[in-house]
């Protein structure tokens, strides 16, 4: 009897073991992120004090959500606007400093107006007193004299968050709750957007942390940690406009002037997994000063900090030719002595700096992924070159926007004395791409945390990027490419697994053009590594390049181009030919489209205006993936 | 007598006010005189600041050098503005008049209706009138196999058609083609979604296919390549029921009321003007 029972039990065990080796259900274990979702996590509406003040008193977060999900909305300047293809996820990130306050004071909110500051601001508004702006600016600078008791934000935040929940449709359209933390100590941009995984009920357990609470990123991350501890909810921060941070976005020292240590690195990695690498105020991938061998580095570059007196830091490259025109920003550069600022201001040098710090302290503090977003203040998440609604209302479509200035600046001497930006400079960029399992808050948020994301300057090109030790050329042709990528390697945003003896890392890359856009000219892998002296290096490899690369089909007069050049689809394998197993490294993919008209060229054709000589006529839009890291 | 004195005094005061304001307005419209004072300079300074820039200085602490620079810019601006006005350019610039109209609208539009006060019967009436806005789009559900050339798609279709063994056919479907960047299976997707993955031409071609569970159709062209398609469902456009979308309809109704409110205020303001219509159009 005992022997018989033992035998049956033994057979049963064998069956179970066999089933586990070969699952009965073929779908088991194949729950890979197979949905490419497009979104914008950075947009302002009339709840932001600056958007409200500079021409957008009417368009609300609801208008922004409607536009993002594909509905037609009439812009503040009266132009009808609609996205060609709706977004899959979206977040309004109005400024936490004075969130919703201007709008409500103007509308006569009794609770605000009964307070001394509210009353004063109401008087300013009624009398068009310019001190309203001064005090708003002081608030952004953290001046506690110009602040309300935080309780005023409770009903405002409640209204804003509940409205977001109304637009959230799991599986169809994801609406995130969020806001922007906007400090800029001494004019250096340290701005971050905060994205919540949670619904309104949970998010209402806090009041947004603003620049009036602190201008130190460490304090923001502490706030996010406490939110997590106290409520069980979760939120992350995403930095943006590192390009105008004066080198402070990716610093060597913390906010207290101490060298970065493990605690700082761990905290930053935990709460800030992403960087917004491209947006309306320029591109932050890299700069020619720190990537001199990269012929594509100078893309939508912004010099200096907005509105700052930079005369002591900038130099004019020439006074002749195109540079005779003092408005040509391309003719100014930081002085050689300022190069170090770029290293703390751009994504690629920051990834390199992260490896250098890792060598010293054992942890990489800049191990982030990338996304793109718009940062438009028009409630319209539009970033296509031929469907671009600008940064503020004064750069909405119209014949004047190419020659006018943000908020009416008028200092044509170009000496940097308080110059605001010329509107031709703004960039029709960008969007966030996320590889997720489902279109829900939880799935997209998790994808952001694991950095399975990438940035584009607007076009929706699809990019897959896997790294591993056992991939082959044949894998890149196989229909189960994605399954191979996940089972034999790791996706973008990850660390390569343990090295197999004698092998170099191999990468599977698949790229397809924006289904409604331009073909692809080339696919590149950008590698950064650290040499035995602890110095970081970078190199760019063209891993797939169209036969007609370098050609340009753009007809500037009519603002058209032809997909007769370039490729619609590229799937390939690349192995690092210069791999040194003792050197830590990162790899990311950059995709370049064929040349297409810039938004200013479309404007020229639509409105019949001339393009100034210093404004680029064509450009090559692009995508940047999150990195894959190798650690010896 | 007392009454007469009051009337006379009143008349004198009234005439004085008119005379004073005439003198004042005359000096205002003297386009050859530019008055530079602290008030004008301060307004000019703040109107030209970037409010996002926390590095701005308060007007009161500007140095003499900065004030002198500001004066130069102010005077230059004033001269140019007046010259432009003299030439009548402000009347013909559509952006200036559109912006002024926008500012006027913001200044005029006041109180709005409370969201909570909206009655269900009102929403019902609004829904009945605007039913056509609440339609569920036509959708398509399908699987597809992606190829980079039309020839490879055609030859694979022949392979699928020849295979009669169900298990082998399943395998062929799974291993066919090359990897498509988006999904292999799509369930109940509208045109606006499909166009984001297949482009305009691909979405149009897909929506031209009929439901046919048993057979693979195509190849059809998309902007990325060629596709064999198995369409397993199509749903037509459908009218949505109010109870399913009540909050959204209420919000739309509220928005419409808000717009109407704003329109009424503007219409009433128009009535306060005397319009002299010199066109011959009725």
């Amino acid at each position: 009897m005992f022997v018989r029972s033992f035998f049956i039990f033994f057979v049963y065990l064998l069956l179970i073991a066999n089933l586990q080796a070969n699952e009965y259900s073929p779908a088991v274990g194949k729950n890979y992120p197979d949905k490419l979702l497009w979104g914008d996590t950075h947009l302002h509406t009339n709840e932001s004090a600056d958007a409200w003040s500079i021409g957008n008193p009417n368009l609300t977060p609801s208008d922004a959500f409607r536009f993002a999900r594909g509905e037609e909305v009439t812009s503040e300047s009266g132009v009808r606007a609609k996205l060609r293809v709706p977004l899959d996820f979206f977040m309004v990130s109005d400024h936490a400093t004075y969130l919703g306050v201007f709008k409500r004071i103007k509308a006569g909110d009794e609770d605000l107006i009964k307070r001394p500051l509210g009353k004063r601001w109401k008087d300013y508004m009624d009398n068009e007193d310019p001190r309203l702006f001064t005090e708003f600016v002081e608030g952004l600078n953290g001046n506690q004299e110009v602040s309300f008791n935080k309780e005023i934000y409770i009903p405002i935040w409640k209204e804003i968050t509940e409205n977001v929940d109304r637009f959230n449709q799991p599986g169809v359209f994801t609406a995130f709750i969020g806001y922007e933390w906007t400090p800029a100590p001494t004019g250096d941009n340290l701005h971050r957007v905060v994205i919540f995984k949670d619904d309104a009920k949970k998010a209402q357990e806090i009041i947004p942390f603003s620049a009036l609470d602190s201008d130190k990123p460490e304090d923001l991350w502490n706030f996010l940690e406490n939110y997590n501890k106290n409520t069980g909810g979760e939120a992350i921060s995403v930095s943006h406009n590192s390009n105008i941070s004066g080198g402070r976005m990716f610093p060597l020292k913390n906010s207290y002037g101490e060298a970065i240590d493990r605690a700082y690195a761990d905290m930053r990695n935990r709460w800030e997994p992403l960087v917004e690498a491209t947006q309306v105020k320029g591109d932050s991938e890299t700069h020619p000063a720190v990537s001199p061998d990269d012929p594509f580095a100078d893309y939508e570059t912004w010099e200096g900090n907005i509105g700052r007196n930079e005369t002591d830091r900038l130099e004019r490259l020439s006074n002749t030719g195109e540079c005779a025109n003092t408005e040509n920003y391309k003719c100014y550069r930081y002085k050689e002595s300022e190069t170090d600022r770029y290293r703390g201001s751009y994504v690629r040098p920051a990834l390199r700096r992260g490896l250098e710090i890792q060598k010293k302290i054992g942890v990489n503090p800049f191990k982030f992924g990338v996304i793109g977003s718009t940062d438009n203040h028009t409630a319209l998440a539009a970033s296509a070159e031929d469907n671009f609604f600008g940064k503020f209302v004064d750069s909405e479509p119209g014949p004047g926007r190419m020659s006018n200035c943000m908020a009416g600046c008028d200092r044509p001497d170009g000496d940097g004395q308080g110059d605001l930006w010329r509107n031709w400079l703004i960039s029709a960029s960008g969007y966030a791409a996320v590889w997720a399992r489902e279109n829900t808050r939880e799935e997209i948020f998790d994808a952001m945390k694991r950095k399975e994301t990438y940035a584009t300057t607007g076009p929706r090109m699809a990019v897959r990027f896997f790294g591993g030790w056992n991939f082959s050329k044949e894998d890149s042709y196989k229909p189960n490419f994605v399954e191979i990528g996940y089972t034999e390697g790791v996706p973008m945003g990850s660390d390569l697994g343990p090295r197999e003896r004698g092998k170099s890392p191999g990468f599977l890359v698949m790229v397809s053009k924006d289904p409604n856009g331009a073909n692809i000219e080339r696919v590149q892998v950008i590698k950064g590594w650290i040499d035995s002296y602890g110095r970081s290096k970078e190199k760019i490899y063209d891993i797939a390049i169209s036969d007609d690369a370098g050609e340009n089909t753009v007809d500037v007069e009519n603002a058209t181009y032809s997909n007769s050049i370039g490729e619609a689809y590229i799937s390939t394998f690349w192995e690092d030919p210069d791999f040194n197993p003792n050197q830590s490294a990162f790899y990311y993919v950059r995709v370049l489209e064929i040349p297409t008209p810039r938004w200013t060229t479309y404007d020229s054709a639509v409105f019949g205006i001339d393009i100034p000589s210093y404004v680029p006529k064509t450009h090559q839009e692009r995508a940047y993936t999150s990195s894959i890291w190798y650690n010896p | 007598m007392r009454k007469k004195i009051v009337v006379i005094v009143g008349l004198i005061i009234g005439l004085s006010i008119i005379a004073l304001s005439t003198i004042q307005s005359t000096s205002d419209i003297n386009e050859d005189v530019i008055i530079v004072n602290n008030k004008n300079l301060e307004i000019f300074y703040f109107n030209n600041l970037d409010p996002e820039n926390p590095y701005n200085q308060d007007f009161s602490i500007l140095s003499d050098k900065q004030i002198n620079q500001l004066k130069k810019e102010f005077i230059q601006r004033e001269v140019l503005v007046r010259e432009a006005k003299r030439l009548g350019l402000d009347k013909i610039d559509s952006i200036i008049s559109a912006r002024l109209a926008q500012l006027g609208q913001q200044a005029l539009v006041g109180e709005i209706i409370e969201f909570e006060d909206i009655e269900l019967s009102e929403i019902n009436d609004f829904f009945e009138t605007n039913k056509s806005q609440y339609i569920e789009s036509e959708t398509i559900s399908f699987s597809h196999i992606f190829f980079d050339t039309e020839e490879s798609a055609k030859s694979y279709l022949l392979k699928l058609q020849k295979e009669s063994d169900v298990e082998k056919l399943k395998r062929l479907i799974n291993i066919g083609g090359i990897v498509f960047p988006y999904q292999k299976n799509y369930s109940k997707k509208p045109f606006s979604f499909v166009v984001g993955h297949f482009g305009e031409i691909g979405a149009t071609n897909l929506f031209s296919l009929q439901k046919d569970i048993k057979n693979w159709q195509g190849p059809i062209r998309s902007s990325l390549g060629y596709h064999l398609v198995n369409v397993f469902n199509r749903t037509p456009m459908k009218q949505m029921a109010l109870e399913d979308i009540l909050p959204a309809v209420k919000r739309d109704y509220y928005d419409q009321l808000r717009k109407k409110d704003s329109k009424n205020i503007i219409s009433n303001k128009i009535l306060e003007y005397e319009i002299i219509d010199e066109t011959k159009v009725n």
Side-chain angles (χ1 to χ4, degrees):
Chain A
M1 180 67 185
F2 173 76
V3 174
R4 192 167 166 243
S5 300
F6 181 78
F7 179 74
I8 291 168
F9 181 65
F10 182 71
V11 169
Y12 174 75
L13 278 181
L14 274 179
L15 276 170
I16 293 288
N18 190 43
L19 268 180
Q20 280 179 344
N22 302 294
E23 295 287 356
Y24 166 73
S25 172
V28 167
K30 291 189 180 175
N31 193 17
Y32 311 120
D34 64 350
K35 292 191 172 57
L36 177 54
L37 303 174
W38 291 97
D40 179 5
T41 58
H42 190 180
L43 183 111
H44 298 266
T45 70
N46 69 349
E47 300 285 4
S48 284
D50 55 351
W52 184 90
S53 316
I54 310 173
N56 182 22
N58 295 314
L59 289 189
T60 63
S62 296
D63 293 316
F65 277 111
R66 288 195 189 102
F67 180 77
R69 71 183 186 187
E71 293 176 35
E72 184 179 300
V73 169
T74 301
S75 78
E76 194 67 62
S77 56
V79 182
R80 292 159 71 201
K82 191 170 189 255
L83 285 176
R84 194 172 276 126
V85 177
L87 293 173
D88 300 304
F89 65 94
F90 182 64
M91 186 177 93
V92 170
S93 57
D94 283 309
H95 295 291
T97 309
Y98 310 131
L99 181 67
V101 167
F102 277 21
K103 171 182 163 180
R104 282 167 182 78
I105 288 177
K106 181 69 181 175
D109 185 308
E110 286 175 8
D111 181 52
L112 290 172
I113 294 169
K114 76 183 181 198
R115 294 160 195 269
L117 182 59
K119 187 181 177 318
R120 189 162 84 227
W121 282 4
K122 177 80 170 71
D123 291 342
Y124 289 168
M125 285 176 188
D126 292 345
N127 298 311
E128 293 183 15
D129 191 322
R131 280 177 292 182
L132 182 68
F133 283 105
T134 326
E135 296 191 1
F136 161 60
V137 170
E138 285 176 11
L140 287 179
N141 256 337
N143 184 353
Q144 298 300 317
E145 303 284 313
V146 203
S147 67
F148 289 95
N149 187 314
K150 287 208 82 168
E151 72 188 21
I152 67 140
Y153 295 105
I154 294 172
I156 297 174
W157 182 235
K158 184 173 186 293
E159 189 185 322
I160 287 173
T161 53
E162 283 171 0
N163 188 47
V164 178
D165 277 3
R166 278 198 317 114
F167 286 93
N168 189 45
Q169 284 180 277
V172 179
F173 180 82
T174 294
F176 280 110
I177 289 170
Y179 67 86
E180 181 179 328
W181 177 70
T182 317
T186 63
D188 295 325
N189 184 309
L190 294 181
H191 301 183
R192 267 91 170 166
V193 295
V194 173
I195 305 175
F196 289 79
K197 183 182 187 176
D198 312 303
D199 62 9
K201 198 176 165 204
K202 183 82 75 187
Q204 282 166 16
E205 292 186 41
I206 53 96
I207 297 169
F209 186 83
S210 78
L212 282 161
D213 296 306
S214 171
D215 62 3
K216 296 178 177 57
E218 293 91 329
D219 291 335
L220 173 68
W221 301 327
N222 265 324
F223 171 80
L224 299 179
E225 186 164 353
N226 287 332
Y227 170 67
N228 178 242
K229 273 186 193 161
N230 298 335
T231 70
E234 208 172 352
I236 53 171
S237 60
V238 181
S239 66
H240 66 86
N241 280 124
S242 57
N243 57 336
I244 48 174
S245 72
R248 292 174 71 168
M249 193 62 87
F250 308 111
L252 291 167
K253 293 176 176 172
N254 67 18
S255 301
Y256 304 94
E258 301 152 343
I260 282 174
D261 59 9
R262 292 181 71 103
Y264 174 97
D266 288 339
M267 193 179 213
R268 185 168 181 138
N269 287 332
R270 170 72 181 84
W271 299 110
E272 194 161 291
L274 298 176
V275 169
E276 190 182 290
T278 183
Q279 61 130 274
V280 71
K281 288 200 300 290
D283 195 83
S284 296
E285 187 220 357
T286 193
H287 188 282
V290 283
S291 299
D293 298 329
D294 181 353
F296 301 101
D298 195 7
Y299 180 73
E300 298 290 335
T301 308
W302 281 47
E303 297 293 352
N305 290 351
I306 297 165
R308 275 187 81 172
N309 181 346
E310 296 277 353
T311 44
D312 54 338
R313 293 207 233 150
L314 292 172
E315 62 184 347
R316 200 156 158 198
L317 299 178
S318 164
N319 293 322
T320 57
E322 289 196 339
C323 291
N325 189 323
T326 54
E327 287 187 30
N328 189 352
Y329 277 56
K330 295 280 175 196
C331 297
Y332 294 89
R333 284 280 186 270
Y334 271 126
K335 292 170 184 165
E336 186 69 26
S337 57
E338 300 290 329
T339 303
D340 203 47
R341 289 178 186 278
Y342 294 122
R343 298 203 177 97
S345 300
Y346 284 83
V347 165
R348 194 189 302 168
L351 290 167
R352 287 175 53 178
R353 178 173 273 184
L355 298 180
E356 289 168 0
I357 296 175
Q358 182 182 12
K359 176 115 178 158
K360 289 180 191 152
I361 67 168
V363 186
N364 180 346
F366 305 128
K367 207 169 179 180
F368 51 76
V370 290
I371 56 170
S373 276
T374 63
D375 195 10
N376 295 342
H377 284 54
T378 55
L380 305 172
S383 75
E385 304 294 318
D386 62 347
N387 192 18
F388 178 48
F389 278 76
K391 160 90 176 161
F392 280 97
V393 171
D394 53 25
S395 50
E396 286 190 355
R401 68 169 165 173
M402 205 188 308
S403 54
N404 70 12
C405 301
M406 147 70 192
C409 67
D410 187 20
R411 288 178 167 75
D413 47 60
D415 64 359
Q417 294 284 337
D419 269 8
L420 303 180
W421 64 75
R422 307 278 154 185
N423 277 330
W424 69 261
L425 261 176
I426 59 175
S427 180
S429 179
Y431 282 141
V434 168
W435 284 107
R437 292 179 182 86
E438 295 296 340
N439 187 354
T440 63
R441 281 175 174 165
E442 294 76 11
E443 287 294 339
I444 297 172
F445 190 87
D446 285 353
M448 288 175 172
K449 272 175 65 186
R450 64 175 186 270
K451 304 184 271 284
E452 211 171 339
T453 60
Y454 61 96
T456 84
T457 55
R460 304 188 194 187
M461 57 273 261
V463 188
R464 279 286 197 185
F465 179 41
F466 294 103
W469 303 102
N470 293 305
F471 293 142
S472 65
K473 179 81 185 159
E474 290 69 41
D475 291 335
S476 64
Y477 309 135
K478 291 180 180 167
N480 61 339
F481 172 105
V482 173
E483 186 180 348
I484 295 167
Y486 281 108
T487 53
E488 300 293 322
V490 294
M492 60 180 81
S494 310
D495 286 309
L496 281 166
R499 176 173 169 256
E500 296 188 15
R501 201 176 172 78
K503 289 194 171 174
S504 296
F507 298 88
L508 291 177
V509 182
M510 189 272 298
V511 176
S512 68
K513 59 169 267 193
D514 178 337
N516 297 289
N519 278 348
I520 306 298
E521 182 189 275
R522 71 183 73 207
V523 181
Q524 302 174 310
V525 166
I526 291 163
K527 179 187 176 186
W529 74 95
I530 194 117
D531 67 15
S532 51
Y533 301 102
R535 294 173 307 199
S536 67
K537 303 280 175 62
E538 66 180 56
K539 189 170 178 183
I540 299 159
Y541 301 86
D542 280 324
I543 65 165
I545 183 162
S546 155
D547 292 341
D548 32 34
E551 288 187 24
N552 187 337
T553 64
V554 174
D555 172 350
V556 172
E557 197 181 332
N558 297 305
T560 57
Y561 67 94
S562 160
N563 270 335
S564 56
I565 60 170
E567 306 289 335
Y569 179 92
I570 292 164
S571 190
T572 188
F573 166 77
W574 178 78
E575 191 175 60
D576 182 358
D578 303 312
F579 180 65
N580 180 335
N582 300 316
Q583 297 172 339
S584 56
F586 65 81
Y587 303 85
Y588 70 88
V589 167
R590 181 170 68 182
V591 180
L592 296 174
E593 276 190 349
I594 60 170
T596 52
R598 192 178 186 264
W599 68 266
T600 35
T601 304
Y602 283 108
D603 267 23
S604 163
V606 171
F607 300 115
I609 45 175
D610 292 334
I611 313 171
S613 61
Y614 47 84
V615 176
K617 315 290 182 293
T618 70
H619 65 164
Q620 287 183 271
E621 299 226 54
R622 50 200 68 198
Y624 315 117
T625 70
S626 294
S627 297
I628 292 176
W629 286 267
Y630 166 72
N631 299 298
Chain B
M1 182 66 185
R2 197 187 163 93
K3 231 178 190 178
K4 229 174 187 178
I5 291 171
V6 170
V7 171
I8 290 166
V9 169
L11 262 174
I12 291 168
I13 293 171
L15 285 171
S16 308
I17 290 171
I18 292 167
L20 275 172
S21 59
T22 309
I23 293 163
Q24 178 70 29
S25 62
T26 312
S27 68
D28 276 352
I29 57 163
N30 188 343
E31 293 293 332
D32 295 330
V33 178
I34 294 170
I35 298 168
V36 185
N37 57 32
N38 276 350
K39 192 183 163 201
N40 289 344
L41 281 184
E42 191 174 359
I43 292 169
F44 177 73
Y45 178 67
F46 282 108
N47 282 343
N48 289 281
L49 275 187
D50 169 11
E52 260 201 349
N53 175 16
Y55 212 58
N56 290 330
Q57 290 175 305
D58 196 275
F59 179 77
S60 62
I61 60 164
L62 292 182
S63 66
D64 288 353
K65 193 180 164 195
Q66 286 170 309
I67 293 280
N68 282 330
Q69 175 64 23
L70 202 61
K71 271 187 203 171
K72 269 167 70 181
E73 289 166 8
F74 172 75
I75 292 165
Q76 181 177 318
R77 166 76 77 85
E78 279 298 303
V79 168
L80 291 174
V81 166
R82 289 174 195 208
E83 286 305 309
K85 277 186 178 171
R86 201 164 274 164
L87 292 166
L89 297 179
D90 56 329
K91 304 280 191 306
I92 59 163
D93 188 308
S94 59
I95 295 175
I96 292 174
S97 58
R99 183 66 184 143
L100 281 174
Q102 188 194 13
L103 289 172
Q105 182 169 349
Q106 285 163 23
L108 286 176
V109 174
E111 287 298 307
I112 51 168
I113 295 125
E114 286 291 323
F115 186 67
E116 285 73 23
D117 294 344
I118 295 170
E119 301 284 336
L120 185 63
S121 59
E122 292 175 78
I123 303 171
N124 206 27
D125 291 347
F126 173 77
F127 179 72
E128 286 303 322
T129 324
N130 297 283
K131 253 183 163 171
S132 60
Q133 285 178 27
Y134 301 100
I135 285 176
E136 231 171 53
S137 306
E138 179 185 13
T139 71
I140 184 167
S141 304
F142 63 96
S143 290
H144 72 112
I145 309 172
F146 176 55
F147 299 87
D148 51 357
T149 64
E150 190 173 14
E151 293 67 40
S152 52
K154 276 181 178 167
S155 66
Y156 209 78
L157 181 63
L158 288 175
K159 233 176 176 179
L160 292 177
Q161 286 166 342
K162 277 181 196 161
E163 188 54 68
S164 53
D165 184 290
V166 176
E167 286 308 312
K168 283 182 183 166
L169 186 63
K170 263 190 195 172
R171 189 177 144 65
L172 276 181
I173 291 165
N174 280 333
I175 63 163
I178 55 174
V179 64
F180 185 64
Y182 295 91
Q183 293 150 238
K184 197 171 174 77
N185 306 306
Y186 289 81
S187 176
K188 287 192 175 175
K189 296 298 179 197
F191 188 92
S192 62
F193 184 93
V194 175
V195 78
H197 291 193
F198 294 83
E200 191 78 30
I201 185 170
T204 306
N205 286 336
L206 278 162
F207 273 81
S208 71
L209 300 176
Q210 298 303 311
K211 176 181 169 180
D212 185 351
I213 302 172
K214 288 182 182 165
N215 295 304
W216 283 79
Q217 306 180 61
I220 61 139
R221 212 185 116 208
S222 76
S223 61
L224 303 180
Y226 295 86
H227 308 257
L228 297 178
V229 188
N230 183 212
V231 182
F232 45 86
N233 202 9
R234 295 288 307 259
T235 61
M237 278 197 296
K238 191 182 130 193
Q239 180 67 56
M240 289 189 265
L242 177 60
E243 53 268 31
D244 296 336
I245 47 169
L246 186 62
V249 179
K250 185 177 176 184
R251 177 61 59 174
D252 291 346
Y253 176 57
Y254 171 72
D255 287 346
Q256 198 206 45
L257 287 180
R258 200 180 62 163
K259 278 176 193 154
K260 214 184 260 174
D261 198 28
S262 146
K263 212 173 168 184
N264 285 340
I265 291 168
I266 295 166
S267 304
N268 289 336
K269 190 49 78 179
I270 290 170
L271 291 177
E272 291 174 22
Y273 281 77
E274 183 192 354
I275 312 290
I276 300 168
D277 186 350
E278 293 177 344
T279 65
K280 302 257 186 289
V281 182
N282 289 320

